[in-house]
Amino acid sequence: MARSDKSAMIQKRKIIIATLIIIACVIGIYLAKSFFIENTFQSKFKATPAVAVILDKVSAQYWGTEIPAVGTIQSFAGITVRAQIAGRITAIPLQSGQSVKQGDRLFEINPEVLKAQLNEAQAKLESSQFEFERLQKLFQKGAVSEEKLIQAKSQYHNDEAALVTIEQELALATNIAEFDGILGLTQVELGDEVAIGDPLATLQSTEELRVEFTVPQKYRSNIQLGDEVKITRELMHQVHSGEHLVQTIPSPYQYGAKVYAVDPLVNEDTRTVTLRARFSATDLYPGSYVDTVLQLQDKKKVLTVPETALMASLYGDFVYLVVDQKAKKTAVKIGRRRNGNVEIVSGVQEGDTIIAAGLRKVFDGVSVRASSIDIRSR
């Protein structure tokens, strides 16, 4: 029994020793492998040449509030030409879509009857004037009473007023252009009978336009006359390859306008304020819609970087600063975006050097070199 117990102990000791040897071997292999990988990575890292990147600076700009809206183009002077008297259309000197000058005749409504009435009124005025002057001379000689002279004078003034009335009615028979513009589509033809107030055509000025749009009422106290408005519309641009049309793509085009009027009344339904801005354009038409951006004059200093410098991850936005010629991954908090730049609320300081482009091979700690310095004026 003693010999058997001793053999069992020896066997157990051998198993323990073998197990310890195996564990030691595994640990040794793991440490050797880790050491080898680390040395290999470090040697590669040290051997990696500096990455060529484009550098820029964190710059300060002064940005104000921008309020986007949809606006409607209107003529600064636009009217509907209407019949001023009842009668028959006897002349339409200009055609639809034709340019007109101030004072041009647009429509004529049978003036012949009024011309005859005018001749009759002129004859009556001449007669009453002659009678008044004759009695005035006789009154001075005491040949007629003052009552007859007063009656003659009254008749003379009545005929004079009647003549002026008919002259005014005759003037209303012809519609005159009140300003330079484009005559719209005519609603009548020669010989049509019209009543007072019937629409004949539209007349739109094209030299100066305005855009009308609304903004939330919370901005009302900050809006000033003269505030700038950017007006954007998309033009369809055709792309050709040789003689063949490849595609038609929208191309934005901008105009500048200035606020000249603000409605003092807030719309009760929408809680918005209506604004009008004046501008000039030759290829925009009344009634069309455009995108507008109202720029308030509440500018404040902000730090900005190019949008190309900003990177995104699951943990937030970041940029790469350049410190001692190495890339340093730096978390940032961003704000507004404008004209290819992005506002940095926190994370960087003015004047810091950042990597603006060429980020494909950049990682934290890698050496970098400037292939081009692009410090922009903002």
Side-chain angles (χ1 to χ4, degrees):
M1 289 293 293
R3 184 176 296 178
S4 176
D5 291 342
K6 189 174 181 180
S7 297
M9 269 178 103
I10 293 172
Q11 187 68 23
K12 186 175 181 181
R13 191 176 295 172
K14 289 180 179 179
I15 293 173
I16 292 173
I17 294 172
T19 302
L20 291 175
I21 292 173
I22 293 172
I23 292 173
C25 291
V26 170
I27 293 174
I29 293 172
Y30 174 78
L31 291 176
K33 185 177 181 181
S34 299
F35 181 76
F36 174 78
I37 292 174
E38 184 177 356
N39 285 342
T40 303
F41 176 78
Q42 288 181 354
S43 62
K44 286 185 177 179
F45 181 76
K46 291 178 181 178
T48 301
V51 178
V53 294
I54 296 176
L55 303 181
D56 204 338
K57 293 284 187 180
V58 177
S59 300
Q61 294 189 32
Y62 287 87
W63 284 6
T65 303
E66 292 191 344
I67 310 169
V70 175
T72 300
I73 300 298
Q74 300 174 345
S75 292
F76 207 83
I79 62 171
T80 297
V81 181
R82 298 181 181 276
Q84 303 172 96
I85 64 171
R88 179 171 53 87
I89 300 293
T90 56
I92 305 178
L94 301 173
Q95 297 180 352
S96 299
Q98 189 171 346
S99 297
V100 301
K101 295 293 184 181
Q102 183 178 10
D104 285 351
R105 292 191 311 134
L106 303 179
F107 298 92
E108 189 175 75
I109 302 174
N110 192 12
E112 299 304 322
V113 174
L114 291 173
K115 287 180 179 179
Q117 292 176 359
L118 179 63
N119 292 334
E120 181 181 356
Q122 287 175 337
K124 291 179 68 175
L125 177 61
E126 290 175 1
S127 176
S128 60
Q129 182 180 8
F130 175 80
E131 181 64 15
F132 169 63
E133 292 174 352
R134 186 181 71 83
L135 292 178
Q136 194 173 32
K137 293 177 182 179
L138 292 175
F139 176 75
Q140 292 173 355
K141 296 178 180 180
V144 295
S145 65
E146 185 178 3
E147 182 181 358
K148 284 190 175 182
L149 179 62
I150 293 175
Q151 290 176 352
K153 182 179 180 180
S154 177
Q155 183 62 46
Y156 168 62
H157 287 312
N158 287 340
D159 291 343
E160 191 175 39
L163 178 63
V164 172
T165 299
I166 296 175
E167 286 177 340
Q168 292 292 330
E169 290 180 355
L170 184 59
L172 294 177
T174 303
N175 291 92
I176 302 297
E178 301 292 338
F179 49 84
D180 296 352
I182 302 293
L183 184 65
L185 300 179
T186 57
Q187 306 299 313
V188 294
E189 302 294 342
L190 286 175
D192 283 348
E193 292 287 339
V194 294
I196 296 176
D198 284 354
L200 306 179
T202 59
L203 179 62
Q204 303 290 332
S205 171
T206 57
E207 293 184 355
E208 196 170 28
L209 298 173
R210 69 187 180 204
V211 60
E212 183 176 295
F213 58 98
T214 60
V215 298
Q217 67 172 11
K218 66 180 181 179
Y219 297 111
R220 177 63 184 87
S221 59
N222 296 326
I223 298 172
Q224 301 178 26
L225 298 182
D227 283 347
E228 294 185 358
V229 179
K230 288 183 180 179
I231 302 172
T232 305
R233 76 182 187 105
E234 289 189 345
L235 302 175
M236 299 310 295
H237 176 67
Q238 293 184 341
V239 180
H240 291 81
S241 176
E243 297 180 354
H244 302 286
L245 175 63
V246 178
Q247 61 179 334
T248 301
I249 59 175
S251 176
Y253 189 81
Q254 287 192 342
Y255 306 84
K258 289 187 179 295
V259 174
Y260 75 91
V262 181
D263 194 339
L265 183 66
V266 175
N267 187 297
E268 294 183 2
D269 297 325
T270 61
R271 305 301 178 187
T272 57
V273 179
T274 302
L275 288 76
R276 286 179 177 175
R278 184 198 315 256
F279 70 106
S280 297
T282 57
D283 53 356
L284 285 177
Y285 304 98
S288 57
Y289 84 93
V290 290
D291 294 319
T292 65
V293 177
L294 172 64
Q295 298 178 309
L296 301 183
Q297 299 178 27
D298 57 346
K299 292 185 177 181
K300 296 180 181 179
K301 183 178 179 180
V302 298
L303 298 181
T304 65
V305 299
E307 285 186 324
T308 54
L310 186 67
M311 304 291 287
S313 70
L314 294 175
Y315 305 100
D317 299 304
F318 64 92
V319 297
Y320 282 108
L321 296 182
V322 177
V323 181
D324 296 331
Q325 298 182 346
K326 291 185 178 181
K328 180 181 179 182
K329 185 177 180 180
T330 305
V332 294
K333 182 179 179 181
I334 66 172
R336 298 165 290 177
R337 297 173 185 260
R338 188 175 300 175
N339 300 326
N341 293 326
V342 59
E343 176 187 4
I344 303 298
V345 178
S346 63
V348 297
Q349 296 180 350
E350 183 178 356
D352 284 348
T353 301
I354 59 167
I355 300 177
L359 293 164
R360 187 169 60 88
K361 296 182 179 180
V362 175
F363 54 88
D364 193 25
V366 70
S367 297
V368 296
R369 62 181 177 84
S371 63
S372 173
I373 302 295
D374 184 22
I375 301 176
R376 305 174 187 175
S377 299
R378 294 190 185 83

